[in-house]
Amino acid sequence: MKKALMVLTLLVLFGMPGNAAAKLNIVTTTPDFAAIAEEIGGDRVEVASLAKGIQDPHFVDAKPSFIRQLNRADILIEGGVDLEVGWLPPILESSRNGKIQKDSPGRIVASSGIRLLDVPTRPVDRSQGDVHPLGNPHYMLDPENGKILAEQISSRLCQLDAGSCPYFQANRDAFVRRIDQETAEWKKRMAPYQGTKIITYHASWPYFAQRFGLVVVGHVEPKPGIPPSPGHLEEMIDLIHREKVRILIMEPYFSDRAPNFLAEKTGIQVLVLYPSMAPDAGINRYTDIFDFDIGKITKALEKK
Ligand SMILES: [Zn+2]
């Protein structure tokens, strides 16, 4: 009887192997991080994203439920470089969860290890509204950076659940292999359009453009996070004519007023592309983002 009680106590204290209770609870700020965490963690983790993929990651309405989610998390994955600075810090503090505070093993900053683009050479005054003061945070739109995050997640999961490490590493290897295969395919589809000039609404596509051979010549926003003025739109019309730009890329969460105005004036095609998960558009896995976006771009550029 005593022995049985001791075994039971041990199981309660250390969790039963393979039991649902032993799963690591991962919370991410955006669902593209969640999609990769799911692929690496498999059935040994529970994953949830605070924001939806069709929300602007810079401006998320923090709900009280976010604090409860953070309170129960074993791991938090955030984008870093001030991506979530407008909404994450206060709810993180309110969560009172030591496991996911700065420099804890349960805190993963996805941008660490990423070669960032658009890093300002001089300090940026945030009061001017620029939401990219530490470099461009939209690095997940290069699948190579998805591989870097997969490696970071797998090594952290190994640290927190050493017994499942070979499983996490096998999942990481399979993910990396699939990214490599699919990237070769995506590059083949984009090969005819190397050097194509594009305009984007927000400065969220430099990593994508660099990987797939597009050239971003301008943005609808004069600075990241600043809405366009009439004067800026006039300049854009000149630019589109001068550079013969055929496509304008925007995310679903921006107003289409300025893009449609530019389309009316210049004939530029407006493409609404997804930067993250969008189940309603069939984007459920990380690689679906690129399948969808490259499909739309190549279709638009095929038309002469
Ligand atoms: Zn941004």
Side-chain angles (χ1 to χ4, degrees):
M1 181 61 200
K2 243 185 183 169
K3 205 170 168 188
L5 198 68
M6 198 172 82
V7 169
L8 194 69
T9 311
L10 284 173
L11 285 175
V12 168
L13 279 176
F14 297 103
M16 292 182 231
N19 187 298
K23 285 184 180 187
L24 287 167
N25 182 6
I26 303 176
V27 173
T28 72
T29 53
T30 62
D32 39 332
F33 302 143
I36 295 181
E38 269 168 15
E39 295 212 33
I40 309 307
D43 57 17
R44 316 279 162 93
V45 299
E46 289 288 348
V47 187
S49 168
L50 298 175
K52 292 191 169 68
I54 49 164
Q55 279 181 298
D56 185 341
H58 292 293
F59 303 102
V60 174
D61 268 329
K63 291 187 272 183
S65 61
F66 288 2
I67 296 170
R68 286 196 294 278
Q69 279 177 281
L70 288 173
N71 175 261
R72 294 189 206 113
D74 298 305
I75 296 175
L76 167 65
I77 305 177
E78 63 165 328
V81 282
D82 274 4
L83 176 68
E84 307 94 342
V85 74
W87 57 279
L88 185 64
I91 55 171
L92 193 52
E93 204 188 315
S94 302
S95 77
R96 296 165 186 266
N97 180 352
K99 283 195 267 187
I100 57 168
Q101 300 302 324
K102 193 168 176 284
D103 301 326
S104 305
R107 181 74 164 270
I108 296 178
V109 181
S111 60
S112 63
I114 303 284
R115 193 181 300 166
L116 293 167
L117 300 175
D118 307 340
V119 178
T121 46
R122 280 178 291 179
V124 171
D125 182 1
R126 265 195 73 93
S127 66
Q128 291 170 356
D130 188 332
V131 292
H132 295 173
L134 302 176
N136 194 298
H138 304 285
Y139 48 81
M140 289 298 284
L141 286 167
D142 177 352
E144 288 299 310
N145 290 337
K147 282 161 56 178
I148 293 172
L149 178 59
E151 170 59 40
Q152 211 192 343
I153 292 173
S154 106
S155 67
R156 201 65 70 87
L157 288 176
C158 282
Q159 202 181 323
L160 294 169
D161 179 4
S164 301
C165 190
Y167 172 77
F168 298 136
Q169 286 174 338
N171 285 348
R172 175 205 57 198
D173 292 345
F175 177 78
V176 167
R177 259 197 315 276
R178 193 159 58 78
I179 292 283
D180 285 342
Q181 282 164 1
E182 301 215 18
T183 300
E185 196 55 42
W186 294 322
K187 283 189 154 180
K188 214 156 72 185
R189 289 167 71 188
M190 289 296 289
Y193 310 112
Q194 294 304 290
T196 298
K197 291 170 179 168
I198 62 166
I199 281 174
T200 73
Y201 191 102
H202 182 75
S204 29
W205 301 87
Y207 298 90
F208 181 94
Q210 178 178 264
R211 180 61 54 199
F212 296 111
L214 302 173
V215 180
V216 182
V217 294
H219 304 108
V220 176
E221 292 180 334
K223 267 186 191 176
I226 311 287
S229 62
H232 181 69
L233 290 179
E234 288 301 324
E235 282 170 30
M236 295 309 291
I237 291 171
D238 289 344
L239 177 77
I240 292 166
H241 286 311
R242 196 169 62 238
E243 303 283 350
K244 300 185 174 59
V245 189
R246 291 172 56 204
I247 57 174
L248 187 164
I249 293 175
M250 63 176 282
E251 286 87 343
Y253 42 78
F254 292 118
S255 159
D256 59 4
R257 263 184 62 191
N260 287 344
F261 171 76
L262 293 173
E264 228 170 79
K265 298 286 177 190
T266 67
I268 196 168
Q269 294 184 73
V270 176
L271 303 184
V272 178
L273 302 188
Y274 291 95
S276 188
M277 316 322 292
D280 289 346
I283 302 175
N284 297 301
R285 291 208 294 185
Y286 176 64
T287 47
D288 293 339
I289 299 173
F290 304 97
D291 280 333
F292 184 97
D293 292 345
I294 286 171
K296 266 205 152 175
I297 291 170
T298 51
K299 201 171 161 213
L301 292 174
E302 261 167 25
K303 289 191 249 168
K304 265 286 166 199

